[in-house]
Amino acid sequence: MSKLKSESGTITSVINGKIATISFYHPNHNALPSSLLNQLAQSIDKFGKNESIHVIVLKSEGEKTFCAGANFDELLTIKSEEEGKLFFSGFAKVINAIRLARQPVIGRIQGKAIGGAVGLAAACDYCFATKDASLKLSELSIGIGPFVIAPAVQRKVGLSAFTELAFNPSTFKSAYWAAERGLYQSVLDDIEALDSTVENFCKQLADYSFIALCEIKKYLWNETKHWDSLLLSQAEISGKLIVDTQTKEAINKIKFDNKAR
């Protein structure tokens, strides 16, 4: 097991036979700062190039929230468009690391997925979730948009469902809604059932031909070679919007409202 620590958050990697499990944690509902995003991308990239690893599992720690998306504390410190682009490029790096990994990446979603977290789930090649894994794209509510993750989300759920998510930033969609639109492949009753199902599925998958797994993975991501540049250009849009005064005020209001609850 290896563990990378950063700003009170961690990236933990465990190898069990041909299966590598990468888990991330941050005390603020697993909201991701740029340091953790970069380390997460590096971890996925490392295992993605390792031919002895046939399956990668992506998960977070805790029981209630899979990931609250971007870390608001860091968003409030961004003072320039370039800093903003650099921050949102962190999500681009993770999505592209999943895309470029030779083997399938399996998402284990145990709770709510908000904002950028929906993009991480959508980027996974196959996702298992609990019935508590509701989701929303909250970006518009703070004055930005889900630009970086849009290609990954739209690729999975289609333009209509993505539009529904993007224009309703305060509304959670259920795990069953996500499953009906192809974002989750299976919804389980609880975390115990989730972990058992993920373990059994990955063990079976890991025993198959590595070359065949790689070829299927390659096919799934056909026509996405331009994403290296596309997601970075999308990050530039978010970077421009995040420095707006109205956006900063919206983030502060949400933080204040959350503390008051």
Side-chain angles (χ1 to χ4, degrees):
M1 181 178 77
S2 66
K3 180 173 288 190
L4 300 173
K5 294 184 178 180
S6 177
E7 299 179 9
S8 72
T10 59
I11 302 292
T12 304
S13 302
V14 178
I15 298 176
N16 184 9
K18 300 175 183 178
I19 303 168
T21 299
I22 304 171
S23 61
F24 60 89
Y25 167 75
H26 192 278
N28 186 15
H29 303 288
N30 289 324
L32 292 165
S34 57
S35 55
L36 283 184
L37 285 167
N38 289 330
Q39 289 177 2
L40 184 57
Q42 290 167 12
S43 295
I44 296 169
D45 181 64
K46 179 182 70 173
F47 288 125
K49 295 175 179 176
N50 187 341
E51 293 187 8
S52 66
I53 300 298
H54 287 200
V55 182
I56 298 172
V57 178
L58 178 63
K59 59 179 287 190
S60 67
E61 299 182 25
E63 297 184 356
K64 292 185 177 180
T65 306
F66 168 66
C67 174
N71 186 281
F72 275 14
D73 290 332
E74 185 167 351
L75 290 182
L76 289 171
T77 69
I78 294 173
K79 294 182 173 59
S80 70
E81 293 180 8
E82 187 58 35
E83 287 180 4
K85 178 183 177 181
L86 190 62
F87 174 84
F88 289 105
S89 293
F91 283 97
K93 290 177 183 177
V94 176
I95 291 172
N96 276 323
I98 294 172
R99 175 177 67 89
L100 294 171
R102 294 188 65 192
Q103 58 283 92
V105 177
I106 310 303
R108 181 258 196 196
I109 318 298
Q110 85 282 12
K112 289 181 177 179
I114 301 169
V118 181
L120 300 188
C124 289
D125 300 298
Y126 205 99
C127 261
F128 295 93
T130 68
K131 62 184 180 181
D132 298 318
S134 56
L135 54 88
K136 68 177 179 179
L137 293 181
S138 57
E139 288 87 348
L140 187 60
S141 66
I142 62 170
I144 58 174
F147 302 110
V148 175
I149 65 171
V153 178
Q154 183 179 333
R155 171 178 167 269
K156 274 292 178 70
V157 305
L159 180 61
S160 178
F162 171 74
T163 303
E164 188 175 350
L165 286 170
F167 285 149
N168 292 279
S170 300
T171 303
F172 275 101
K173 297 295 185 180
S174 73
Y176 299 105
W177 181 95
E180 288 172 359
R181 286 151 184 83
L183 184 58
Y184 301 151
Q185 274 64 55
S186 182
V187 177
L188 291 309
D189 286 337
D190 52 40
I191 292 178
E192 182 178 0
L194 174 68
D195 286 337
S196 175
T197 302
V198 170
E199 181 180 4
N200 291 334
F201 180 80
C202 289
K203 283 182 178 179
Q204 185 178 37
L205 207 59
D207 284 338
Y208 296 139
S209 162
F210 178 71
I211 296 175
L213 288 172
C214 292
E215 289 299 323
I216 293 173
K217 171 67 180 271
K218 188 187 300 183
Y219 177 80
L220 293 177
W221 289 93
N222 189 31
E223 299 182 355
T224 61
K225 290 181 179 180
H226 63 297
W227 279 26
D228 283 324
S229 57
L230 173 63
L231 300 194
L232 291 179
S233 66
Q234 296 289 84
E236 189 172 350
I237 301 173
S238 296
K240 290 178 180 179
L241 292 171
I242 198 62
V243 296
D244 186 82
T245 301
Q246 187 176 352
T247 299
K248 299 288 191 184
E249 291 174 352
I251 294 173
N252 271 314
K253 184 179 186 304
I254 291 174
K255 286 190 64 178
F256 177 80
D257 290 343
N258 288 340
K259 287 181 179 179
R261 290 174 184 172

